[in-house]
Amino acid sequence: MTSIETPDWVRDAVFYQIFPDRFASSTQVPKPSNLESWDSKPTVFGFKGGDLLGVAERLDYLQDLGVTAIYFNPIFQSAANHRYHTHDYYQVDPILGGNDALRKLLDESHRRGMRVILDGVFNHASRGFFQFHHILENGPASPYLDWFIANKHPLRPYHCEKGQHGYEAWWGLPALPKLNTATPTVREFLLDVACYWLEFGIDGWRLDVPAEIDDDEFWETFRLRVKSTNPDAYVVGEIWHDAGRWLQGNQFDAVMNYPLARACLGFFVGDDLNQEEVAKCGYHSIDSLDAPSFAAELDRLLNLYPQPITEVQFNLLGSHDTPRFKTLARGDDSAYRLATLVQMTYPGAPSIYYGDEVGLEGGHDPGCRGGFPWDDKAWDRGLWEYVRRCISLRQAHPALRRGDFEHLFAGHGVVAYGRSLGIDSLVVVLNSASKPETLDLPVAGYLGDGVILQDVWSDARFTVTGGHISGLPVPARSGRVLSVAESV
């Protein structure tokens, strides 16, 4: 196998995922009149009127939090609030401000050193997509007939029963006709879209359901075209399971690391998980994990793919496709705090789903897609400060972004591991138990006797003696991080 190259900037990135209709709205973008109230409960079909200039106007907020990169759910012209039903791949939705708004957002983000990746929906289009509409109007005579897989005419795009509309569609949903990527003109169209927006200035693509395009050659060509346009572009796929097939260095740079989110939910929430909500999303079910099982899963995930891939995995705790973490944890903030500490101290690029950092709750779609509460009186300010502090910790220590990972201890509801790069060495301790623990933490082989460690968030200091950090208190449902202050 040739050497695997992944974008170096991702190793240092902290992502923030934005659902464009629900994050922020600018008065500079004209709006239609029939919009939902911003603070009302989100609905399946309703629009709240968020836009890209609204995001541009809130970049100070993101930078203050520590965010360095944004992942946007789809922004192209669509008749759906989530915009996975693409009408025009070359036009930003006018409700979001159009192409000019994206230009302003990219310019302002890049001026601040922030990256932007977009959602690429290349498996399916929509009933309003021009080439599909052409078939609806002209039937088998349409020159675009082979852009889709039609098996019965006339097509019935508004037929309610799945599979009875005369063409292949994603999950049988008639609103999402599946593109026929075996057709050369379709392949070239999608590749051109990918390169067009990279040339426009975006920094990469998050690929929606790429496994549905079951064609290695297509994705290999996609990578070649993308990297030839921008060698630094990030290509991350939405695959919820073992993605080794796509992560050999010739297709994707990384995937959305849902297995890490599952592990955090299984360990930090465990038996208290809201399994009814879990069952409604792609998780289906999540088993409780004890400390040794959680540690073993962290190690397994680190060894699943080649190291250059692992270092740029998209490490999320929630997304538009899952109930919010706090809802799955039945309101337990300590679970989210512990999971966030893992995110910020584990290899890969952490991603915050908009609003999680202020305690936003919501069940499965559409509940997890509520409007961001810009009245900070509605925030959990302590949670926001904690997330910001964890991000700052990650940014202050190269070892947390690029260092080696070493398992140190697992038991009694506690997991501890080390991160090291050169002289920068840290110990991360996570106590998921409902009672405090005082540890005799073994570090022989990782830290030598006489090394002094400083708690990164307090004045406490500890010395390695006899291969152990003795008398290390860890409060219940909490974590602490120690950094090497002096070594001998």
Side-chain angles (χ1 to χ4, degrees):
M1 180 188 297
T2 57
S3 63
I4 294 175
E5 296 184 5
T6 52
D8 192 57
W9 63 267
V10 179
R11 292 165 174 79
D12 298 317
V14 174
F15 279 91
Y16 192 86
Q17 180 185 345
I18 291 178
F19 193 87
D21 187 60
R22 309 290 163 79
F23 182 64
S25 178
S26 171
T27 57
Q28 302 303 308
V29 178
K31 297 291 193 306
S33 57
N34 188 31
L35 296 175
E36 288 183 346
S37 166
W38 189 263
D39 296 326
S40 65
K41 185 177 179 179
T43 63
V44 173
F45 297 107
F47 286 74
K48 293 189 181 294
D51 58 66
L52 299 186
L53 290 188
V55 179
E57 292 166 3
R58 301 290 185 170
L59 290 178
D60 283 347
Y61 167 81
L62 297 180
Q63 278 203 302
D64 191 30
L65 184 62
V67 170
T68 65
I70 304 171
Y71 151 46
F72 282 100
N73 287 107
I75 65 171
F76 303 127
Q77 187 172 302
S78 172
N81 57 36
H82 48 72
R83 296 183 172 87
Y84 284 95
H85 298 46
T86 312
H87 280 199
D88 189 335
Y89 286 85
Y90 291 99
Q91 296 297 323
V92 174
D93 197 296
I95 298 178
L96 296 179
N99 291 11
D100 288 345
L102 178 60
R103 174 77 280 141
K104 291 178 182 178
L105 173 64
L106 287 173
D107 289 347
E108 182 58 24
S109 297
H110 290 159
R111 184 183 71 80
R112 296 165 179 255
M114 301 173 74
R115 310 274 185 154
V116 175
I117 68 170
L118 299 184
D119 212 319
V121 188
F122 301 139
N123 171 69
H124 51 265
S126 72
R127 290 179 291 217
F129 183 62
F130 172 77
Q131 286 82 351
F132 186 77
H133 181 72
H134 204 283
I135 300 171
L136 294 181
E137 292 290 330
N138 298 286
S142 171
Y144 297 106
L145 185 65
D146 62 355
W147 277 56
F148 298 89
I149 302 172
N151 47 49
K152 186 178 181 180
H153 292 278
L155 305 185
R156 305 169 71 190
Y158 292 95
H159 196 282
C160 293
E161 294 184 39
K162 290 184 180 181
Q164 300 299 311
H165 33 269
Y167 54 91
E168 290 192 14
W170 185 71
W171 282 31
L173 299 173
L176 298 171
K178 184 175 172 63
L179 287 158
N180 183 7
T181 53
T183 299
T185 51
V186 174
R187 295 167 82 92
E188 187 55 38
F189 171 82
L190 296 176
L191 295 170
D192 185 73
V193 168
C195 294
Y196 176 87
W197 291 109
L198 288 166
E199 291 170 351
F200 193 88
I202 71 167
D203 299 290
W205 289 102
R206 177 268 189 185
L207 303 172
D208 183 59
V209 295
E212 301 279 345
I213 300 179
D214 188 13
D215 184 339
D216 291 343
E217 183 181 355
F218 174 79
W219 291 120
E220 289 168 6
T221 303
F222 182 92
R223 180 182 181 85
L224 288 171
R225 292 281 288 272
V226 162
K227 298 293 185 176
S228 66
T229 304
N230 178 1
D232 257 353
Y234 183 41
V235 180
V236 56
E238 182 214 1
I239 296 176
W240 292 54
H241 49 78
D242 186 336
R245 168 182 171 182
W246 298 274
L247 298 179
Q248 300 298 316
N250 60 346
Q251 296 187 51
F252 310 156
D253 292 313
V255 293
M256 300 178 79
N257 200 354
Y258 281 106
L260 178 62
R262 291 178 65 97
C264 288
L265 286 163
F267 183 47
F268 298 127
V269 185
D271 291 339
D272 292 329
L273 259 174
N274 187 335
Q275 293 288 1
E276 182 179 350
E277 284 290 343
V278 168
K280 295 177 183 177
C281 71
Y283 291 136
H284 303 303
S285 66
I286 295 177
D287 294 331
S288 295
L289 299 177
D290 60 13
S293 298
F294 179 65
E297 181 65 1
L298 293 183
D299 287 342
R300 185 186 75 85
L301 294 176
L302 288 179
N303 291 289
L304 201 53
Y305 309 120
Q307 185 174 345
I309 301 283
T310 299
E311 291 173 344
V312 298
Q313 284 287 77
F314 193 86
N315 291 342
L316 70 165
L317 296 178
S319 76
H320 63 293
D321 282 329
T322 67
R324 288 192 178 266
F325 194 102
K326 187 172 179 178
T327 297
L328 291 175
R330 301 186 189 276
D332 179 7
D333 281 337
S334 69
Y336 181 69
R337 288 173 181 244
L338 283 161
T340 296
L341 186 56
V342 171
Q343 255 196 321
M344 300 303 163
T345 59
Y346 190 74
S351 174
I352 299 165
Y353 184 48
Y354 82 99
D356 278 357
E357 77 279 12
V358 298
L360 208 58
E361 293 196 59
H364 185 50
D365 170 24
C368 57
R369 304 174 181 184
F372 187 94
W374 285 109
D375 180 356
D376 61 8
K377 294 183 181 66
W379 296 5
D380 181 336
R381 175 61 70 172
L383 183 62
W384 185 89
E385 292 285 358
Y386 180 82
V387 173
R388 183 171 180 255
R389 187 169 61 178
C390 288
I391 294 173
S392 178
L393 174 68
R394 181 179 182 85
Q395 292 173 336
H397 289 276
L400 296 180
R401 307 190 305 274
R402 297 163 178 270
D404 294 333
F405 180 99
E406 183 161 342
H407 170 67
L408 297 175
F409 177 79
H412 312 293
V414 176
V415 168
Y417 51 81
R419 298 296 311 275
S420 61
L421 181 67
I423 62 171
D424 188 25
S425 296
L426 300 99
V427 173
V428 180
V429 187
L430 309 157
N431 182 10
S432 187
S434 57
K435 61 184 181 66
E437 292 285 344
T438 299
L439 298 179
D440 186 20
L441 185 66
V443 293
Y446 178 63
L447 297 173
D449 281 1
V451 170
I452 298 173
L453 298 107
Q454 170 83 50
D455 187 298
V456 298
W457 294 323
S458 78
D459 294 331
R461 286 194 162 206
F462 303 89
T463 302
V464 178
T465 305
H468 291 76
I469 303 172
S470 299
L472 175 62
V474 189
R477 304 292 296 165
S478 185
R480 65 188 311 172
V481 181
L482 311 178
S483 176
V484 170
E486 300 177 29
S487 60
V488 293

